Amino acid sequence: MEVADIRPLLAPTVSLICAIFIFLSGNTDASRKFWSLSASTVKFFLVMSMLPGSLKGTIYFTQLVPFAPGVDINLRVDPLGMFFASVSSTLWLVTTVYALTYMKPEHAQKRFFGFFALAVSTTVGISFSGNLFTLFIFYELLTIVTYPLVIHEETPEALRAGKKYLIFTLPAGALILLAICITFFLTGTTTLSQNGIFSLKYDIKTLAFLFAAYIAGFGVKAAIMPLHSWLPSAMVAPTPVSALLHAVAVVKAGAFGILRVIFNVFGVELLRELGFCNYLAYIAAFTIIAGSFMALLQENLKRRLAYSTVSQLSYIVLGASLLTPSGAMGGIVHLANQAFQKITMFFVAGSIERKTGKKNISEMVGIGYKMPFTMATFTLASLGFMGVPLLAGFITKWYVSLGALEANEPFFVGIMLLSALLNASYWLPIVYIAFFKKPPDGDTKRDEALSSMLYPCIICALYIIALGTFAEIPGLPLSLAKTAAHLFLK
Amino acid sequence: MFTPFLTGSIIFLTSKSFLKLKEWLAFLGSLLPFIFLLLIIPLSLRNVFLVTPIIRITPDIWLRFRADQLALIFGSTAALLWFMASLYSWGYMKGKEHLTRFYGFLLLNLSWTLGVALAGNLLTLYIFYELLSISSYPIIAHEETPEALAAAKKYLIYVIVGGVFIFLGLVITYFLCGTQTFTETGIMSLSIGKTMLTFIFLVFIIGFGVKAAIMPLHGWVPDAHPAAPAPASALLSGILVAAGAFGIIRIFYNIFGASLVQKLQLNLPLAYLASLTIIVSSILAITQDNLKRRLAYSTIGQMSYVVLGISLITPNGFLGGVVHIANHAFMKGTLFLTAGVLIKTADKRNVSEMNGVGYAYPLTMGAFTLAALALIGTPPMAGFVSKWLLGVGTLEASQPLFLAVLLLGSLLCAGYLLPVVYVSFFKKEAEEILSEPAAAQNKKSIEKLEPEVDKVPWSMLVPIFIGISAVIILGICAALYGLPISLAEVTVKKLLSF
């Protein structure tokens, strides 16, 4: 059932208005706090108010002005979009609380919170896009508005990272536009449909080229190797930015784009015929393993997190490219699972940095004595990534592996298991040195992070448990992922 | 359309002391034609064309004006940009010499431009085109510095030679066809002979190509733009160069006719030339340090988008090309006006001097950033609409190579505009060179900076604001009734109905 509704438009607009107010009046802490918190709360409830309908299969849409002949800007909330939007609006709320404290000593906070809100606005726009054209618009805007966040510190290193970010993402955007142009020319539409807009009647070579162009285009943000190298560099950004944008919004927008391409542009049926997804699955598998190995080598905690993100994102790509119901479900739900697990870790890394100034893993000996709660949440997230049962990551591992078997590809089950082991080998040492080695200065007095930075960690950690233990509860990501996957794979 | 002519004459006649009056006349003289043209747009959307009576000079030479859709797109764009420039001049030209001459010629030029836009036959177009060429000279040379004079001289040599070519084409056309009225299907026919047609086409393209700055005829552009006062550069870039492209459109679609050009296979070579221009000029733009020079090279490239679009001879390509005239005018106009703010109030002309200007001029540089992003083709602003339409157009013509050129062009555009944004917002003002106490003092002086609104007269900020609004409106609701796309859509059906 399709219902015309204003909420799909309101959701991105709320953060846009918030950004405008911050730019106009955000010179004091209080006003920034007021606008950011109220907007993120309003948005959270706006998005959540559509959740029950979406679970029942209702599709909300807002028709906007025509843009050019044949194309228009169109917002449409289907289960997959709802999934992504609910994850990002939840995490925006949590991250805002965290960032308001974390950013206190920083400069240019008005710019920071303004662009932060803009980035969330475009992310929700991406998730609610009803056609490729609208998706592209928000996708490009996301690239632009995150630049000031990446270079926030304005150190030479940050500026270099920002440049690298643009050099990677702008050509990728051009590639996507190329593919969209050709798609529109061939099919006369860019509307994302449940069964895809292509069919076998088009030339196979053209389809192969388009698929490659879309994947390469979205693959930059989704950090598929070898297009990933901007992501570790971009870790110089302030922690809340890394957390929300590089574990959630930006990279997930890329992964979300790939999901849209696989399910809504090409369609599962067609891709099964064409077999392009096999290649994609192998590239993803390679990225999973290589990313994990790279993570092992990193000494800086945030860089290790970054490489772990590179690896984890390819779970999503792998799950989707298996083209089986369980695989798709696993891939989609990992969008949320990875987000909550990774954001917890980033929050922890940020708290440690603020509290002690330590950025490298070797300096964190005994940190668990000082910050037991913070490090406990880190431990939970680590265990989640390893796929320990009753935690979020297990659900992913289970469904993606099941999907691999459904697709008759036991090889990928092996990849999932190997990756779980690798995850253990780069997360557990941190937990080990934090809790089981005494701090070098012998000072074991407890010195936790501020509660406004600790609570977001705890909330996310609880969520990781909820996602793993009570995954079936309607309204939690898995239920939506299921609805979405069933829509695409009847 | 004669309002600017009248007011322009009054400006010349009134004595030097009535500066305020002249400023107001310039204001009204450009606002009124814009309003007139807006009033005609609904008629034109229903394919009703206003035609003025024929004015005969000799039995063979007559003037004819006709407000068709193309004319309205170009004319109303020109009038609005002129309005912005005149208002801007209030602030920018304050305290400069020879204001009578400046405002007088400014308005005369608008008059001639509207003549070019509304011309109903080739001769009328030619007459006003030549008048425009000549009376732009005083505007370019206004500063009367040696560079300005040299640039203006170079300009004049280029456009007069270009004019000779147009005249040659004009006479031959009249001799062969016995008419020169613009029609939807063209007045030429294959019976004239292929070689002759190709020759005429070539002559016209060279003639108009000088102003449209198709390489290698672009030489005057990079000199004239930095030399002229900022409001004049905005007009040069937005309208004067576009007049050349507009002439090419008229030749293409109203004299030859789309089907004939396609039969003669003249369109593709032109498209290749335009592609070459896009790439080469964008690369050259990256190497320029003077901001206005950089923008001038960008204009050369952008105008070739228009030429590329129309020479595809496909519906979307044509739409994209025509709409890009309006889009480019507002985007580039805004960029030049913001560059003018920096020249006028901070005396900064080079990109390398602009470290940190974004702190002192947040509004101006904010507008610059938006216009730059639009020109690169960031959705949902004006430049993206052009890029999209042109992109679909290249595919309709089954020339995906040009699509690659478009996208490469927009990446290069990012390469020459984003560094400006970057240095102005993210580079501190020469901090590392200063010693510690000096740096501290510098910081204090930055904090004490007077607000931008006090420094930059409102008459300069308002036009920039109008320009940015136009860029955004032309992007977000591009297909809205009455905006360029809707007009171009009506006409494209007739021009390409073969």
Side-chain angles (χ1 to χ4, degrees), chain B residues 272-289:
Chain B
Y272 280 112
L273 195 61
S275 308
L276 188 75
T277 308
I278 292 175
I279 303 297
V280 174
S281 68
S282 304
I283 293 171
L284 284 174
I286 295 179
T287 62
Q288 305 301 320
D289 187 35

Side-chain angles (χ1 to χ4, degrees), chain B residues 56-310:
Chain B
R56 272 181 203 281
I57 298 177
T58 74
D60 289 330
I61 302 176
W62 66 87
L63 298 182
R64 179 170 178 270
F65 296 103
R66 193 180 74 148
D68 69 356
Q69 291 96 349
L70 285 176
L72 283 176
I73 294 176
F74 188 52
S76 51
T77 305
L80 184 56
L81 199 67
W82 237 275
F83 171 67
M84 285 159 57
S86 330
L87 187 56
Y88 185 86
S89 304
W90 288 19
Y92 188 83
M93 301 305 287
K94 194 165 232 154
K96 299 215 171 169
E97 298 273 307
H98 305 302
L99 286 185
T100 306
R101 185 178 77 192
F102 180 77
Y103 282 115
F105 276 107
L106 197 67
L107 280 196
L108 279 185
N109 279 329
L110 172 57
S111 193
W112 309 147
T113 307
L114 293 180
V116 169
L118 296 166
N121 65 17
L122 196 54
L123 179 74
T124 316
L125 180 86
Y126 170 72
I127 291 175
F128 284 100
Y129 193 84
E130 281 290 271
L131 288 171
L132 178 61
S133 303
I134 292 164
S135 62
S136 300
Y137 175 83
I139 301 266
I140 296 173
H142 186 84
E143 308 275 351
E144 292 182 16
T145 56
E147 301 94 66
L149 290 174
K153 189 169 155 195
K154 192 169 177 187
Y155 160 78
L156 207 57
I157 294 172
Y158 268 86
V159 291
I160 286 187
V161 174
V164 170
F165 274 92
I166 301 174
F167 181 75
L168 179 65
L170 173 73
V171 170
I172 302 177
T173 308
Y174 183 64
F175 175 70
L176 290 175
C177 307
T179 173
Q180 21 169 293
T181 310
F182 294 141
T183 67
E184 255 73 49
T185 46
I187 53 174
M188 300 277 192
S189 70
L190 262 182
S191 59
I192 293 172
K194 236 177 158 174
T195 338
M196 194 61 196
L197 283 174
T198 313
F199 174 72
I200 301 174
F201 189 79
L202 205 65
V203 165
F204 274 126
I205 295 297
I206 294 176
F208 286 111
V210 169
K211 257 195 206 149
I214 300 177
M215 281 187 175
L217 307 170
H218 67 285
W220 63 276
V221 178
D223 289 335
H225 281 72
S233 335
L235 294 175
L236 277 182
S237 177
I239 301 299
L240 191 76
V241 177
F246 185 75
I248 294 179
I249 297 180
R250 287 295 194 199
I251 296 299
F252 231 93
Y253 289 92
N254 294 123
I255 294 294
F256 278 77
S259 67
L260 185 64
V261 177
Q262 204 156 44
K263 274 183 208 133
L264 293 169
Q265 293 175 326
L266 290 169
N267 56 327
L268 277 187
L270 187 57
Y272 280 112
L273 195 61
S275 308
L276 188 75
T277 308
I278 292 175
I279 303 297
V280 174
S281 68
S282 304
I283 293 171
L284 284 174
I286 295 179
T287 62
Q288 305 301 320
D289 187 35
N290 182 313
L291 179 56
K292 278 169 92 182
R293 250 186 122 78
R294 189 178 285 204
L295 293 177
Y297 273 106
S298 155
T299 299
I300 299 173
Q302 294 290 326
M303 216 25 74
S304 278
Y305 279 82
V306 178
V307 176
L308 173 61
I310 56 177

Side-chain angles (χ1 to χ4, degrees), chain A residues 318 400-405 409-419:
Chain A
L318 174 62
V400 174
S401 306
L402 202 60
L405 292 176
E409 299 270 8
F411 170 71
F412 293 121
V413 182
I415 294 286
M416 294 302 290
L417 298 178
L418 178 59
S419 172

Side-chain angles (χ1 to χ4, degrees), chain A residues 30-112:
Chain A
S31 79
R32 281 192 297 266
K33 199 171 190 169
F34 172 74
W35 289 116
S36 298
L37 280 179
S38 48
S40 48
T41 316
V42 168
K43 178 188 216 123
F44 178 75
F45 283 109
L46 258 179
V47 172
M48 287 308 162
S49 72
M50 286 186 281
L51 186 65
S54 202
L55 276 173
K56 271 185 256 146
T58 312
I59 287 172
Y60 301 95
F61 69 94
T62 317
Q63 190 67 45
L64 293 171
V65 285
F67 191 81
V71 282
D72 43 26
I73 299 179
N74 176 348
L75 294 173
R76 192 167 169 278
V77 186
D78 70 346
L80 183 57
M82 184 63 210
F83 179 87
F84 188 38
S86 61
V87 172
S88 49
S89 60
T90 311
L91 290 176
W92 188 36
L93 186 56
V94 182
T95 314
T96 305
V97 175
Y98 183 86
L100 283 169
T101 313
Y102 181 90
M103 296 301 291
K104 273 236 168 83
E106 292 278 335
H107 73 137
Q109 289 192 48
K110 185 160 89 170
R111 180 179 80 195
F112 177 84

